[in-house]
PDB file of all heavy atoms in Angstrom:
ATOM      1  N   LEU A   1       8.601  -2.379 -16.520  1.00 94.00           N
ATOM      2  CA  LEU A   1      10.011  -2.207 -16.867  1.00 94.00           C
ATOM      3  C   LEU A   1      10.510  -0.857 -16.553  1.00 94.00           C
ATOM      4  O   LEU A   1      11.622  -0.766 -16.093  1.00 94.00           O
ATOM      5  CB  LEU A   1      10.046  -2.451 -18.393  1.00 94.00           C
ATOM      6  CG  LEU A   1      11.358  -2.401 -19.035  1.00 94.00           C
ATOM      7  CD1 LEU A   1      12.338  -3.429 -18.443  1.00 94.00           C
ATOM      8  CD2 LEU A   1      11.351  -2.627 -20.468  1.00 94.00           C
ATOM      9  N   THR A   2       9.709   0.188 -16.697  1.00 93.00           N
ATOM     10  CA  THR A   2      10.065   1.533 -16.230  1.00 93.00           C
ATOM     11  C   THR A   2      10.422   1.707 -14.805  1.00 93.00           C
ATOM     12  O   THR A   2      11.374   2.286 -14.459  1.00 93.00           O
ATOM     13  CB  THR A   2       9.159   2.604 -16.764  1.00 93.00           C
ATOM     14  OG1 THR A   2       8.889   2.537 -18.189  1.00 93.00           O
ATOM     15  CG2 THR A   2       9.476   3.893 -16.401  1.00 93.00           C
ATOM     16  N   GLN A   3       9.532   1.265 -14.026  1.00 91.00           N
ATOM     17  CA  GLN A   3       9.676   1.198 -12.517  1.00 91.00           C
ATOM     18  C   GLN A   3      10.910   0.508 -12.055  1.00 91.00           C
ATOM     19  O   GLN A   3      11.643   0.931 -11.356  1.00 91.00           O
ATOM     20  CB  GLN A   3       8.417   0.655 -11.891  1.00 91.00           C
ATOM     21  CG  GLN A   3       8.463   0.834 -10.345  1.00 91.00           C
ATOM     22  CD  GLN A   3       7.225   0.418  -9.700  1.00 91.00           C
ATOM     23  OE1 GLN A   3       6.275   0.151 -10.314  1.00 91.00           O
ATOM     24  NE2 GLN A   3       7.266   0.194  -8.328  1.00 91.00           N
ATOM     25  N   LEU A   4      11.120  -0.655 -12.679  1.00 92.00           N
ATOM     26  CA  LEU A   4      12.199  -1.566 -12.282  1.00 92.00           C
ATOM     27  C   LEU A   4      13.500  -0.873 -12.572  1.00 92.00           C
ATOM     28  O   LEU A   4      14.469  -0.972 -11.907  1.00 92.00           O
ATOM     29  CB  LEU A   4      12.091  -2.891 -13.015  1.00 92.00           C
ATOM     30  CG  LEU A   4      13.180  -3.914 -12.951  1.00 92.00           C
ATOM     31  CD1 LEU A   4      13.307  -4.249 -11.386  1.00 92.00           C
ATOM     32  CD2 LEU A   4      13.080  -5.128 -13.680  1.00 92.00           C
ATOM     33  N   THR A   5      13.642  -0.235 -13.797  1.00 91.00           N
ATOM     34  CA  THR A   5      14.899   0.313 -14.239  1.00 91.00           C
ATOM     35  C   THR A   5      15.105   1.637 -13.722  1.00 91.00           C
ATOM     36  O   THR A   5      16.295   2.224 -13.630  1.00 91.00           O
ATOM     37  CB  THR A   5      15.061   0.340 -15.736  1.00 91.00           C
ATOM     38  OG1 THR A   5      13.872   1.087 -16.264  1.00 91.00           O
ATOM     39  CG2 THR A   5      15.007  -0.995 -16.332  1.00 91.00           C
ATOM     40  N   THR A   6      14.150   2.213 -13.024  1.00 88.00           N
ATOM     41  CA  THR A   6      14.176   3.636 -12.546  1.00 88.00           C
ATOM     42  C   THR A   6      14.916   3.663 -11.061  1.00 88.00           C
ATOM     43  O   THR A   6      15.555   4.411 -10.726  1.00 88.00           O
ATOM     44  CB  THR A   6      12.866   4.322 -12.459  1.00 88.00           C
ATOM     45  OG1 THR A   6      12.491   4.578 -13.835  1.00 88.00           O
ATOM     46  CG2 THR A   6      13.186   5.754 -11.905  1.00 88.00           C
ATOM     47  N   ASP A   7      14.336   2.562 -10.158  1.00 83.00           N
ATOM     48  CA  ASP A   7      14.752   2.624  -8.936  1.00 83.00           C
ATOM     49  C   ASP A   7      14.879   1.042  -8.447  1.00 83.00           C
ATOM     50  O   ASP A   7      13.844   0.329  -8.392  1.00 83.00           O
ATOM     51  CB  ASP A   7      13.780   3.158  -7.992  1.00 83.00           C
ATOM     52  CG  ASP A   7      14.076   3.262  -6.533  1.00 83.00           C
ATOM     53  OD1 ASP A   7      15.355   2.916  -6.296  1.00 83.00           O
ATOM     54  OD2 ASP A   7      13.278   3.622  -5.768  1.00 83.00           O
ATOM     55  N   THR A   8      16.102   0.680  -8.211  1.00 83.00           N
ATOM     56  CA  THR A   8      16.394  -0.854  -7.867  1.00 83.00           C
ATOM     57  C   THR A   8      16.631  -0.868  -6.257  1.00 83.00           C
ATOM     58  O   THR A   8      17.131  -2.013  -5.914  1.00 83.00           O
ATOM     59  CB  THR A   8      17.432  -1.367  -8.647  1.00 83.00           C
ATOM     60  OG1 THR A   8      18.735  -0.497  -8.440  1.00 83.00           O
ATOM     61  CG2 THR A   8      17.193  -1.358 -10.114  1.00 83.00           C
ATOM     62  N   ALA A   9      16.593   0.259  -5.657  1.00 82.00           N
ATOM     63  CA  ALA A   9      17.146   0.133  -4.216  1.00 82.00           C
ATOM     64  C   ALA A   9      16.339  -0.765  -3.324  1.00 82.00           C
ATOM     65  O   ALA A   9      16.805  -1.268  -2.375  1.00 82.00           O
ATOM     66  CB  ALA A   9      17.038   1.678  -3.625  1.00 82.00           C
ATOM     67  N   ALA A  10      15.122  -0.982  -3.635  1.00 82.00           N
ATOM     68  CA  ALA A  10      14.246  -1.882  -2.755  1.00 82.00           C
ATOM     69  C   ALA A  10      14.424  -3.234  -3.110  1.00 82.00           C
ATOM     70  O   ALA A  10      13.859  -4.126  -2.305  1.00 82.00           O
ATOM     71  CB  ALA A  10      12.700  -1.530  -2.922  1.00 82.00           C
ATOM     72  N   TYR A  11      15.212  -3.667  -4.096  1.00 84.00           N
ATOM     73  CA  TYR A  11      15.388  -5.105  -4.408  1.00 84.00           C
ATOM     74  C   TYR A  11      16.709  -5.558  -3.940  1.00 84.00           C
ATOM     75  O   TYR A  11      17.654  -4.937  -3.844  1.00 84.00           O
ATOM     76  CB  TYR A  11      15.296  -5.206  -5.989  1.00 84.00           C
ATOM     77  CG  TYR A  11      14.005  -4.683  -6.621  1.00 84.00           C
ATOM     78  CD1 TYR A  11      13.946  -3.544  -7.367  1.00 84.00           C
ATOM     79  CD2 TYR A  11      12.729  -5.245  -6.177  1.00 84.00           C
ATOM     80  CE1 TYR A  11      12.823  -2.953  -7.947  1.00 84.00           C
ATOM     81  CE2 TYR A  11      11.623  -4.657  -6.760  1.00 84.00           C
ATOM     82  CZ  TYR A  11      11.597  -3.647  -7.606  1.00 84.00           C
ATOM     83  OH  TYR A  11      10.498  -3.213  -8.060  1.00 84.00           O
ATOM     84  N   ARG A  12      16.672  -6.818  -3.645  1.00 81.00           N
ATOM     85  CA  ARG A  12      17.833  -7.685  -3.379  1.00 81.00           C
ATOM     86  C   ARG A  12      18.416  -8.449  -4.437  1.00 81.00           C
ATOM     87  O   ARG A  12      17.695  -8.730  -5.486  1.00 81.00           O
ATOM     88  CB  ARG A  12      17.693  -8.560  -2.257  1.00 81.00           C
ATOM     89  CG  ARG A  12      17.188  -8.017  -0.908  1.00 81.00           C
ATOM     90  CD  ARG A  12      16.653  -8.931   0.091  1.00 81.00           C
ATOM     91  NE  ARG A  12      16.250  -8.425   1.363  1.00 81.00           N
ATOM     92  CZ  ARG A  12      15.764  -9.157   2.381  1.00 81.00           C
ATOM     93  NH1 ARG A  12      15.658 -10.441   2.269  1.00 81.00           N
ATOM     94  NH2 ARG A  12      15.297  -8.545   3.509  1.00 81.00           N
ATOM     95  N   PRO A  13      19.783  -8.694  -4.598  1.00 81.00           N
ATOM     96  CA  PRO A  13      20.270  -9.476  -5.626  1.00 81.00           C
ATOM     97  C   PRO A  13      19.513 -10.802  -5.931  1.00 81.00           C
ATOM     98  O   PRO A  13      19.315 -11.204  -7.200  1.00 81.00           O
ATOM     99  CB  PRO A  13      21.704  -9.846  -5.212  1.00 81.00           C
ATOM    100  CG  PRO A  13      22.123  -8.647  -4.339  1.00 81.00           C
ATOM    101  CD  PRO A  13      20.784  -8.337  -3.504  1.00 81.00           C
ATOM    102  N   SER A  14      18.877 -11.479  -4.858  1.00 80.00           N
ATOM    103  CA  SER A  14      18.140 -12.612  -5.109  1.00 80.00           C
ATOM    104  C   SER A  14      16.837 -12.349  -5.810  1.00 80.00           C
ATOM    105  O   SER A  14      16.235 -13.417  -6.176  1.00 80.00           O
ATOM    106  CB  SER A  14      18.049 -13.374  -3.675  1.00 80.00           C
ATOM    107  OG  SER A  14      17.300 -12.436  -2.783  1.00 80.00           O
ATOM    108  N   ASP A  15      16.342 -11.059  -5.722  1.00 85.00           N
ATOM    109  CA  ASP A  15      15.201 -10.889  -6.385  1.00 85.00           C
ATOM    110  C   ASP A  15      15.272 -10.822  -7.927  1.00 85.00           C
ATOM    111  O   ASP A  15      14.295 -10.849  -8.621  1.00 85.00           O
ATOM    112  CB  ASP A  15      14.668  -9.499  -5.923  1.00 85.00           C
ATOM    113  CG  ASP A  15      14.156  -9.437  -4.509  1.00 85.00           C
ATOM    114  OD1 ASP A  15      13.657 -10.564  -4.045  1.00 85.00           O
ATOM    115  OD2 ASP A  15      14.263  -8.511  -3.818  1.00 85.00           O
ATOM    116  N   GLY A  16      16.629 -10.608  -8.409  1.00 88.00           N
ATOM    117  CA  GLY A  16      16.741 -10.546  -9.811  1.00 88.00           C
ATOM    118  C   GLY A  16      16.021 -11.680 -10.740  1.00 88.00           C
ATOM    119  O   GLY A  16      15.270 -11.448 -11.569  1.00 88.00           O
ATOM    120  N   PRO A  17      16.372 -12.965 -10.354  1.00 86.00           N
ATOM    121  CA  PRO A  17      15.815 -14.045 -11.296  1.00 86.00           C
ATOM    122  C   PRO A  17      14.192 -14.035 -11.150  1.00 86.00           C
ATOM    123  O   PRO A  17      13.622 -14.383 -12.113  1.00 86.00           O
ATOM    124  CB  PRO A  17      16.333 -15.254 -10.739  1.00 86.00           C
ATOM    125  CG  PRO A  17      17.673 -14.897 -10.133  1.00 86.00           C
ATOM    126  CD  PRO A  17      17.430 -13.369  -9.569  1.00 86.00           C
ATOM    127  N   ARG A  18      13.701 -13.633  -9.988  1.00 83.00           N
ATOM    128  CA  ARG A  18      12.239 -13.719  -9.876  1.00 83.00           C
ATOM    129  C   ARG A  18      11.699 -12.562 -10.765  1.00 83.00           C
ATOM    130  O   ARG A  18      10.679 -12.688 -11.310  1.00 83.00           O
ATOM    131  CB  ARG A  18      11.894 -13.357  -8.437  1.00 83.00           C
ATOM    132  CG  ARG A  18      12.382 -14.415  -7.356  1.00 83.00           C
ATOM    133  CD  ARG A  18      11.904 -14.191  -6.033  1.00 83.00           C
ATOM    134  NE  ARG A  18      12.540 -15.094  -5.069  1.00 83.00           N
ATOM    135  CZ  ARG A  18      13.463 -14.714  -4.207  1.00 83.00           C
ATOM    136  NH1 ARG A  18      13.772 -13.508  -4.177  1.00 83.00           N
ATOM    137  NH2 ARG A  18      13.939 -15.644  -3.310  1.00 83.00           N
ATOM    138  N   LEU A  19      12.376 -11.399 -10.696  1.00 89.00           N
ATOM    139  CA  LEU A  19      11.839 -10.262 -11.607  1.00 89.00           C
ATOM    140  C   LEU A  19      11.950 -10.708 -13.042  1.00 89.00           C
ATOM    141  O   LEU A  19      11.112 -10.356 -13.862  1.00 89.00           O
ATOM    142  CB  LEU A  19      12.630  -9.025 -11.212  1.00 89.00           C
ATOM    143  CG  LEU A  19      12.385  -8.445  -9.816  1.00 89.00           C
ATOM    144  CD1 LEU A  19      13.432  -7.313  -9.601  1.00 89.00           C
ATOM    145  CD2 LEU A  19      11.045  -7.787  -9.780  1.00 89.00           C
ATOM    146  N   GLY A  20      13.045 -11.408 -13.419  1.00 89.00           N
ATOM    147  CA  GLY A  20      13.141 -11.855 -14.760  1.00 89.00           C
ATOM    148  C   GLY A  20      12.067 -12.710 -15.176  1.00 89.00           C
ATOM    149  O   GLY A  20      11.606 -12.682 -16.356  1.00 89.00           O
ATOM    150  N   THR A  21      11.750 -13.574 -14.382  1.00 84.00           N
ATOM    151  CA  THR A  21      10.560 -14.466 -14.527  1.00 84.00           C
ATOM    152  C   THR A  21       9.252 -13.682 -14.874  1.00 84.00           C
ATOM    153  O   THR A  21       8.503 -14.016 -15.636  1.00 84.00           O
ATOM    154  CB  THR A  21      10.299 -15.498 -13.450  1.00 84.00           C
ATOM    155  OG1 THR A  21      11.527 -16.253 -13.336  1.00 84.00           O
ATOM    156  CG2 THR A  21       9.096 -16.377 -13.683  1.00 84.00           C
ATOM    157  N   VAL A  22       9.026 -12.688 -14.021  1.00 86.00           N
ATOM    158  CA  VAL A  22       7.724 -11.813 -14.290  1.00 86.00           C
ATOM    159  C   VAL A  22       7.842 -11.203 -15.543  1.00 86.00           C
ATOM    160  O   VAL A  22       6.779 -11.175 -16.326  1.00 86.00           O
ATOM    161  CB  VAL A  22       7.581 -10.755 -13.076  1.00 86.00           C
ATOM    162  CG1 VAL A  22       6.548  -9.771 -13.358  1.00 86.00           C
ATOM    163  CG2 VAL A  22       7.400 -11.558 -11.784  1.00 86.00           C
ATOM    164  N   LEU A  23       8.998 -10.699 -15.830  1.00 90.00           N
ATOM    165  CA  LEU A  23       9.165  -9.916 -17.191  1.00 90.00           C
ATOM    166  C   LEU A  23       8.896 -10.944 -18.433  1.00 90.00           C
ATOM    167  O   LEU A  23       8.235 -10.614 -19.375  1.00 90.00           O
ATOM    168  CB  LEU A  23      10.430  -9.320 -17.293  1.00 90.00           C
ATOM    169  CG  LEU A  23      10.636  -7.960 -16.584  1.00 90.00           C
ATOM    170  CD1 LEU A  23      12.129  -7.494 -16.520  1.00 90.00           C
ATOM    171  CD2 LEU A  23       9.789  -6.798 -17.174  1.00 90.00           C
ATOM    172  N   THR A  24       9.498 -12.227 -18.213  1.00 87.00           N
ATOM    173  CA  THR A  24       9.306 -13.210 -19.210  1.00 87.00           C
ATOM    174  C   THR A  24       7.858 -13.605 -19.431  1.00 87.00           C
ATOM    175  O   THR A  24       7.417 -13.588 -20.480  1.00 87.00           O
ATOM    176  CB  THR A  24      10.176 -14.392 -18.930  1.00 87.00           C
ATOM    177  OG1 THR A  24      11.453 -14.078 -18.808  1.00 87.00           O
ATOM    178  CG2 THR A  24       9.993 -15.391 -19.979  1.00 87.00           C
ATOM    179  N   GLU A  25       7.106 -13.695 -18.384  1.00 81.00           N
ATOM    180  CA  GLU A  25       5.726 -13.953 -18.511  1.00 81.00           C
ATOM    181  C   GLU A  25       4.898 -12.778 -19.156  1.00 81.00           C
ATOM    182  O   GLU A  25       4.032 -13.000 -19.995  1.00 81.00           O
ATOM    183  CB  GLU A  25       5.129 -14.241 -17.083  1.00 81.00           C
ATOM    184  CG  GLU A  25       5.690 -15.517 -16.512  1.00 81.00           C
ATOM    185  CD  GLU A  25       5.181 -15.747 -15.098  1.00 81.00           C
ATOM    186  OE1 GLU A  25       4.567 -14.795 -14.490  1.00 81.00           O
ATOM    187  OE2 GLU A  25       5.404 -16.893 -14.623  1.00 81.00           O
ATOM    188  N   LEU A  26       5.245 -11.575 -18.889  1.00 87.00           N
ATOM    189  CA  LEU A  26       4.714 -10.387 -19.477  1.00 87.00           C
ATOM    190  C   LEU A  26       4.899 -10.329 -21.018  1.00 87.00           C
ATOM    191  O   LEU A  26       4.143  -9.960 -21.765  1.00 87.00           O
ATOM    192  CB  LEU A  26       5.122  -8.983 -18.745  1.00 87.00           C
ATOM    193  CG  LEU A  26       4.536  -8.838 -17.347  1.00 87.00           C
ATOM    194  CD1 LEU A  26       5.246  -7.561 -16.692  1.00 87.00           C
ATOM    195  CD2 LEU A  26       3.032  -8.722 -17.385  1.00 87.00           C
ATOM    196  N   VAL A  27       6.179 -10.616 -21.371  1.00 89.00           N
ATOM    197  CA  VAL A  27       6.586 -10.603 -22.765  1.00 89.00           C
ATOM    198  C   VAL A  27       5.744 -11.745 -23.568  1.00 89.00           C
ATOM    199  O   VAL A  27       5.309 -11.523 -24.605  1.00 89.00           O
ATOM    200  CB  VAL A  27       8.029 -10.890 -22.904  1.00 89.00           C
ATOM    201  CG1 VAL A  27       8.406 -11.112 -24.297  1.00 89.00           C
ATOM    202  CG2 VAL A  27       8.917  -9.581 -22.439  1.00 89.00           C
ATOM    203  N   GLY A  28       5.721 -12.886 -22.950  1.00 84.00           N
ATOM    204  CA  GLY A  28       4.935 -13.913 -23.490  1.00 84.00           C
ATOM    205  C   GLY A  28       3.372 -13.648 -23.680  1.00 84.00           C
ATOM    206  O   GLY A  28       2.873 -13.892 -24.817  1.00 84.00           O
ATOM    207  N   ALA A  29       2.836 -12.927 -22.767  1.00 81.00           N
ATOM    208  CA  ALA A  29       1.450 -12.490 -22.846  1.00 81.00           C
ATOM    209  C   ALA A  29       1.264 -11.403 -23.864  1.00 81.00           C
ATOM    210  O   ALA A  29       0.302 -11.478 -24.647  1.00 81.00           O
ATOM    211  CB  ALA A  29       1.124 -11.949 -21.488  1.00 81.00           C
ATOM    212  N   LEU A  30       2.250 -10.495 -23.978  1.00 86.00           N
ATOM    213  CA  LEU A  30       2.266  -9.538 -24.901  1.00 86.00           C
ATOM    214  C   LEU A  30       2.298 -10.086 -26.445  1.00 86.00           C
ATOM    215  O   LEU A  30       1.527  -9.714 -27.232  1.00 86.00           O
ATOM    216  CB  LEU A  30       3.309  -8.465 -24.766  1.00 86.00           C
ATOM    217  CG  LEU A  30       3.599  -7.473 -25.867  1.00 86.00           C
ATOM    218  CD1 LEU A  30       2.310  -6.472 -25.893  1.00 86.00           C
ATOM    219  CD2 LEU A  30       4.890  -6.629 -25.749  1.00 86.00           C
ATOM    220  N   PHE A  31       3.214 -11.084 -26.602  1.00 84.00           N
ATOM    221  CA  PHE A  31       3.346 -11.755 -27.909  1.00 84.00           C
ATOM    222  C   PHE A  31       2.120 -12.472 -28.268  1.00 84.00           C
ATOM    223  O   PHE A  31       1.506 -12.218 -29.328  1.00 84.00           O
ATOM    224  CB  PHE A  31       4.460 -12.753 -27.843  1.00 84.00           C
ATOM    225  CG  PHE A  31       5.891 -12.159 -27.786  1.00 84.00           C
ATOM    226  CD1 PHE A  31       6.019 -10.802 -27.826  1.00 84.00           C
ATOM    227  CD2 PHE A  31       6.954 -12.998 -27.938  1.00 84.00           C
ATOM    228  CE1 PHE A  31       7.350 -10.322 -27.888  1.00 84.00           C
ATOM    229  CE2 PHE A  31       8.319 -12.417 -27.963  1.00 84.00           C
ATOM    230  CZ  PHE A  31       8.473 -11.038 -27.891  1.00 84.00           C
ATOM    231  N   ALA A  32       1.493 -13.201 -27.367  1.00 76.00           N
ATOM    232  CA  ALA A  32       0.200 -13.927 -27.516  1.00 76.00           C
ATOM    233  C   ALA A  32      -0.870 -12.918 -27.913  1.00 76.00           C
ATOM    234  O   ALA A  32      -1.642 -13.166 -28.979  1.00 76.00           O
ATOM    235  CB  ALA A  32      -0.250 -14.611 -26.343  1.00 76.00           C
ATOM    236  N   HIS A  33      -0.886 -11.864 -27.214  1.00 78.00           N
ATOM    237  CA  HIS A  33      -1.950 -10.736 -27.589  1.00 78.00           C
ATOM    238  C   HIS A  33      -1.843 -10.194 -29.030  1.00 78.00           C
ATOM    239  O   HIS A  33      -2.719 -10.141 -29.752  1.00 78.00           O
ATOM    240  CB  HIS A  33      -1.889  -9.693 -26.583  1.00 78.00           C
ATOM    241  CG  HIS A  33      -2.833  -8.518 -26.857  1.00 78.00           C
ATOM    242  ND1 HIS A  33      -4.171  -8.535 -26.449  1.00 78.00           N
ATOM    243  CD2 HIS A  33      -2.661  -7.275 -27.434  1.00 78.00           C
ATOM    244  CE1 HIS A  33      -4.792  -7.368 -26.909  1.00 78.00           C
ATOM    245  NE2 HIS A  33      -3.844  -6.700 -27.533  1.00 78.00           N
ATOM    246  N   THR A  34      -0.417  -9.898 -29.333  1.00 79.00           N
ATOM    247  CA  THR A  34      -0.209  -9.351 -30.574  1.00 79.00           C
ATOM    248  C   THR A  34      -0.501 -10.385 -31.673  1.00 79.00           C
ATOM    249  O   THR A  34      -1.103  -9.946 -32.719  1.00 79.00           O
ATOM    250  CB  THR A  34       1.262  -9.002 -30.706  1.00 79.00           C
ATOM    251  OG1 THR A  34       1.551  -8.073 -29.697  1.00 79.00           O
ATOM    252  CG2 THR A  34       1.618  -8.312 -31.957  1.00 79.00           C
ATOM    253  N   LEU A  35      -0.123 -11.584 -31.571  1.00 74.00           N
ATOM    254  CA  LEU A  35      -0.446 -12.701 -32.538  1.00 74.00           C
ATOM    255  C   LEU A  35      -1.996 -12.899 -32.726  1.00 74.00           C
ATOM    256  O   LEU A  35      -2.436 -13.106 -33.891  1.00 74.00           O
ATOM    257  CB  LEU A  35       0.331 -13.893 -32.253  1.00 74.00           C
ATOM    258  CG  LEU A  35       1.833 -13.825 -32.410  1.00 74.00           C
ATOM    259  CD1 LEU A  35       2.409 -15.020 -31.810  1.00 74.00           C
ATOM    260  CD2 LEU A  35       2.234 -13.672 -33.847  1.00 74.00           C
ATOM    261  N   GLU A  36      -2.646 -12.883 -31.629  1.00 66.00           N
ATOM    262  CA  GLU A  36      -4.150 -13.085 -31.664  1.00 66.00           C
ATOM    263  C   GLU A  36      -4.837 -11.884 -32.362  1.00 66.00           C
ATOM    264  O   GLU A  36      -5.821 -12.232 -33.115  1.00 66.00           O
ATOM    265  CB  GLU A  36      -4.676 -13.240 -30.347  1.00 66.00           C
ATOM    266  CG  GLU A  36      -4.305 -14.474 -29.614  1.00 66.00           C
ATOM    267  CD  GLU A  36      -4.781 -14.473 -28.113  1.00 66.00           C
ATOM    268  OE1 GLU A  36      -5.312 -13.521 -27.677  1.00 66.00           O
ATOM    269  OE2 GLU A  36      -4.467 -15.476 -27.518  1.00 66.00           O
ATOM    270  N   ALA A  37      -4.245 -10.802 -32.386  1.00 61.00           N
ATOM    271  CA  ALA A  37      -4.816  -9.671 -33.003  1.00 61.00           C
ATOM    272  C   ALA A  37      -4.454  -9.614 -34.519  1.00 61.00           C
ATOM    273  O   ALA A  37      -5.204  -9.101 -35.366  1.00 61.00           O
ATOM    274  CB  ALA A  37      -4.314  -8.384 -32.387  1.00 61.00           C
ATOM    275  N   GLY A  38      -3.451 -10.283 -34.947  1.00 54.00           N
ATOM    276  CA  GLY A  38      -3.170 -10.093 -36.408  1.00 54.00           C
ATOM    277  C   GLY A  38      -2.811 -11.315 -37.253  1.00 54.00           C
ATOM    278  O   GLY A  38      -2.729 -11.326 -38.281  1.00 54.00           O
ATOM    279  N   ARG A  39      -2.728 -12.502 -36.509  1.00 51.00           N
ATOM    280  CA  ARG A  39      -2.267 -13.702 -37.143  1.00 51.00           C
ATOM    281  C   ARG A  39      -3.225 -14.306 -38.175  1.00 51.00           C
ATOM    282  O   ARG A  39      -2.855 -14.984 -39.203  1.00 51.00           O
ATOM    283  CB  ARG A  39      -1.885 -14.825 -36.075  1.00 51.00           C
ATOM    284  CG  ARG A  39      -2.977 -15.409 -35.443  1.00 51.00           C
ATOM    285  CD  ARG A  39      -2.448 -16.412 -34.420  1.00 51.00           C
ATOM    286  NE  ARG A  39      -1.902 -17.550 -35.163  1.00 51.00           N
ATOM    287  CZ  ARG A  39      -1.337 -18.606 -34.493  1.00 51.00           C
ATOM    288  NH1 ARG A  39      -1.443 -18.701 -33.219  1.00 51.00           N
ATOM    289  NH2 ARG A  39      -0.922 -19.553 -35.227  1.00 51.00           N
ATOM    290  N   CYS A  40      -4.498 -13.977 -38.088  1.00 47.00           N
ATOM    291  CA  CYS A  40      -5.481 -14.641 -39.000  1.00 47.00           C
ATOM    292  C   CYS A  40      -5.680 -13.707 -40.223  1.00 47.00           C
ATOM    293  O   CYS A  40      -6.450 -14.098 -41.041  1.00 47.00           O
ATOM    294  CB  CYS A  40      -6.916 -14.737 -38.203  1.00 47.00           C
ATOM    295  SG  CYS A  40      -6.783 -15.857 -36.815  1.00 47.00           S
ATOM    296  N   LEU A  41      -4.963 -12.634 -40.441  1.00 49.00           N
ATOM    297  CA  LEU A  41      -5.200 -11.785 -41.482  1.00 49.00           C
ATOM    298  C   LEU A  41      -4.147 -12.118 -42.679  1.00 49.00           C
ATOM    299  O   LEU A  41      -3.025 -12.089 -42.420  1.00 49.00           O
ATOM    300  CB  LEU A  41      -4.943 -10.283 -41.175  1.00 49.00           C
ATOM    301  CG  LEU A  41      -6.043  -9.644 -40.079  1.00 49.00           C
ATOM    302  CD1 LEU A  41      -5.577  -8.249 -39.954  1.00 49.00           C
ATOM    303  CD2 LEU A  41      -7.337  -9.873 -40.724  1.00 49.00           C
TER     304      LEU A  41
END
């Protein structure tokens, strides 16, 4: 997220949805990790 928001010069407008998909997958993985760590308590 930091790299993406710091410099966007290398990306094209068509890359936006693809990058959004990557971020969504990372968020889903983070949520799963967080819930696996604490949901059984």
